[in-house]
Amino acid sequence: MTLTKVYDAATVFRHLNGILNVYKPAGMKVKHVRNAILSNICKGLNSMEQRDLRELPSKPHLLGTGTAGDDVLHKIASTPDLSDHILSSGPHYTPSDVRISTVAPLGDHTSGVLLFGINKGTGKASCIKGTRPVRVYHITGRMGTATENHLPDSHITVRSNFRHVSAERISGLASSMQASHQRKMYELCGVDLQTQAAYELACKGLIRPADNTHPVIYGINLIHFERPLFTLELHAINETEEYLAALVHDMALELRTVAHCAQIRCVRHSHFDISDSLLRHGWHLPGIMKNLRRHQELLREHPQLMHTRQANLQA
């Protein structure tokens, strides 16, 4: 498909719709990411070609006092309307002109994939959120020290020896936790794990919780180990930053040591991968438009993400 450069702000704004995938840095709040994106969108639109005052229809202006004794009343039809001038009306585009919503927030200490719906994409964002897709994290724990909130920016409360911890012990504990979470999901559905009903339920796909309050882990495994650091890959739904940090702390207690969460990074949200995330230096209008166009193709490739929206429309 041949792409044509567009310099008209109104045309670009009409096509500013879809799902945006940005890389959120650690230590940055979601609302600050949102504000930065809105500011850069408006800055880019306002720097493009706007309506020319010479093309605006001229309005007649009556000069005089308007009284019956006023014998000098001039009608000037050639003066352009200056009410649309930037010095009188301000910037053509402001953040309030752009609708934006977050698919699923990330914690302040978490980095990685963060999805936004822009303008008409806000409907798609709510649809993706309704399907509750799995998110994949790489979580790095540091053994030997525990903190108040299990995150690196808090005070150290406990120190412990960790020389007895091996990669095999962490992998075994991760497998046990994964099996425990899977068994719990079947129990919540009222199905015995060893029955035909459980097999038929598993054939239908992932068993998802009925609401957004219960975190569920579908997969957890060790991908890197180098004392005192270890990294887990975790597949989960309804998780929060506090839950993931507490999970690392609880795993360390099971291993007879202590640890805190040194880093949390979301590497995939459903089919939205970290390799397609827009880095901070690319949060400008051309980069945002390219990212929106890329993920329009991704949504066409995976129409199951829109099933909830289709069902609501049919209902």
Side-chain angles (χ1 to χ4, degrees):
M1 181 176 62
T2 304
L3 298 179
T4 305
K5 286 188 176 181
V6 179
Y7 301 96
D8 178 57
T11 303
V12 173
F13 185 78
R14 283 198 301 270
H15 291 84
L16 190 65
N17 307 293
I19 298 296
L20 178 66
N21 177 4
V22 301
Y23 186 92
K24 174 191 170 298
M28 191 174 186
K29 296 181 181 293
V30 172
K31 66 177 182 180
H32 293 161
V33 177
R34 178 182 180 275
N35 292 339
I37 291 172
L38 286 175
S39 177
N40 290 344
I41 287 175
C42 295
K43 182 179 179 181
L45 290 172
N46 290 324
S47 65
M48 301 180 72
E49 293 181 0
Q50 309 293 335
R51 289 188 299 172
D52 194 346
L53 286 176
R54 293 172 297 180
E55 298 177 358
L56 293 174
S58 299
K59 295 181 181 179
H61 300 274
L62 300 178
L63 303 180
T65 62
T67 61
D70 187 8
D71 57 351
V72 180
L73 193 63
H74 301 283
K75 181 178 181 180
I76 306 175
S78 60
T79 304
D81 180 16
L82 298 179
S83 63
D84 199 52
H85 197 280
I86 189 172
L87 295 180
S88 61
S89 66
H92 286 270
Y93 296 94
T94 61
S96 60
D97 296 325
V98 183
R99 291 182 293 125
I100 185 170
S101 63
T102 309
V103 175
L106 294 177
D108 296 348
H109 298 84
T110 305
S111 62
V113 177
L114 179 62
L115 303 181
F116 290 100
I118 297 182
N119 288 338
K120 295 180 180 178
T122 55
K124 296 178 181 179
S126 61
C127 181
I128 295 173
K129 184 177 181 179
T131 59
R132 297 197 296 279
V134 175
R135 286 201 284 189
V136 183
Y137 292 86
H138 286 174
I139 306 171
T140 300
R142 179 180 290 274
M143 296 182 291
T145 55
T147 61
E148 288 182 346
N149 61 358
H150 315 314
L151 292 168
D153 65 338
S154 185
H155 295 291
I156 295 176
T157 57
V158 181
R159 297 182 186 272
S160 177
N161 182 30
F162 53 87
R163 296 296 177 184
H164 61 282
V165 179
S166 63
E168 290 74 17
R169 292 190 64 184
I170 297 178
S171 296
L173 178 60
S175 299
S176 175
M177 294 180 66
Q178 177 179 327
S180 175
H181 273 260
Q182 291 178 351
R183 183 165 51 251
K184 180 181 178 181
M185 281 304 303
Y186 283 96
E187 290 175 357
L188 292 175
C189 295
V191 177
D192 187 356
L193 193 61
Q194 304 297 326
T195 61
Q196 178 67 21
Y199 171 77
E200 295 175 354
L201 192 62
C203 291
K204 296 179 181 179
L206 289 179
I207 303 174
R208 302 177 188 273
D211 52 35
N212 298 328
T213 59
H214 297 287
V216 179
I217 297 175
Y218 291 98
I220 178 172
N221 61 290
L222 180 70
I223 60 175
H224 179 74
F225 179 77
E226 184 177 355
R227 293 188 187 96
L229 301 176
F230 64 95
T231 303
L232 303 169
E233 183 176 89
L234 185 141
H235 301 243
I237 288 179
N238 295 340
E239 76 296 332
T240 62
E241 181 178 84
E242 293 76 14
Y243 176 80
L244 298 177
L247 180 69
V248 172
H249 174 75
D250 294 340
M251 288 185 66
L253 294 180
E254 290 289 335
L255 296 169
R256 299 183 182 278
T257 185
V258 295
H260 69 271
C261 191
Q263 184 185 62
I264 305 176
R265 186 167 67 135
C266 179
V267 298
R268 195 171 75 246
H269 187 159
S270 184
H271 298 284
F272 299 88
D273 195 78
I274 195 171
S275 60
D276 297 322
S277 293
L278 198 60
L279 299 179
R280 191 170 185 178
H281 61 77
W283 294 355
H284 47 67
L285 185 59
I288 290 172
M289 294 299 298
K290 184 178 180 180
N291 194 269
L292 291 174
R293 187 166 57 248
R294 163 71 184 92
H295 291 101
Q296 283 179 352
E297 299 174 359
L298 188 144
L299 290 174
R300 284 195 293 267
E301 294 171 0
H302 302 282
Q304 67 273 13
L305 292 174
M306 298 293 106
H307 281 178
T308 300
R309 180 177 178 84
Q310 293 174 358
N312 292 338
L313 290 176
Q314 291 175 359

